[in-house]
Amino acid sequence: QVQLVESGGGLVQAGGSLRLSCAASGSIFSINAWGWYRQAPGKQRELVAQITSGGSTNYADSVKGRFAISRDNAKKTLYLQMDSLRPEDTAVYYCNRIRGAVGWGQGTQVTVSS
C-alpha cells in the first residue's frame, strides 16, 4: 500500500518562494508519472504540474514559468519549487500518481499573503 506524505507548505508573502516535498512509500514511485494538485477553498482539486517517469514535465498555464516539478527516484520523493508566488496560489497542495490515483495524503497548506 502506497502512502504519500506532503510537506514544505507555509505562509509566505506574494513574490516569495516555497519548496514542497512528497515522500512516497512502496515500490511504484520510479515507474510512474506523478503530479502536484491543489485545492483552494470552495474549488475543485486541480492538477498544476506533472512529471513522467522519464522526467518530462507539463504545467497548468496558471503556474507555467513560476513552478518547477522534479523527482528523485532513489529517495522516492517528488518536489515542487514554487517561485513568484501569488495570493491565488493559496491552497492545500497534494501529490499523486497521474494514472490511477492512490490514497491521498493529508496535503500541505500554502498561504500567500498580499
Side-chain angles (χ1 to χ4, degrees):
Q1 184 177 359
V2 178
Q3 290 188 323
L4 303 171
V5 179
E6 300 92 348
S7 62
L11 173 63
V12 64
Q13 288 188 331
S17 299
L18 286 172
R19 189 191 193 206
L20 307 184
S21 298
C22 168
S25 65
S27 59
I28 68 169
F29 184 83
S30 63
I31 61 173
N32 284 282
W34 292 86
W36 281 99
Y37 301 76
R38 68 184 181 189
Q39 187 167 21
K43 295 188 177 181
Q44 288 190 331
R45 189 173 293 169
E46 62 171 340
L47 176 65
V48 298
Q50 56 184 301
I51 185 167
T52 67
S53 57
S56 297
T57 59
N58 197 25
Y59 299 92
D61 288 343
S62 58
V63 306
K64 200 170 293 183
R66 301 187 297 120
F67 289 12
I69 188 171
S70 60
R71 61 192 294 164
D72 185 330
N73 289 336
K75 294 182 178 179
K76 299 181 185 178
T77 302
L78 188 71
Y79 301 100
L80 186 68
Q81 177 66 41
M82 306 188 296
D83 298 321
S84 302
L85 283 162
R86 303 168 180 170
E88 54 264 39
D89 295 319
T90 295
V92 180
Y93 284 71
Y94 304 86
C95 62
N96 215 316
R97 189 169 59 176
I98 293 298
R99 290 189 178 87
V102 299
W104 293 91
Q106 83 288 350
T108 186
Q109 175 71 49
V110 172
T111 303
V112 184
S113 63
S114 57

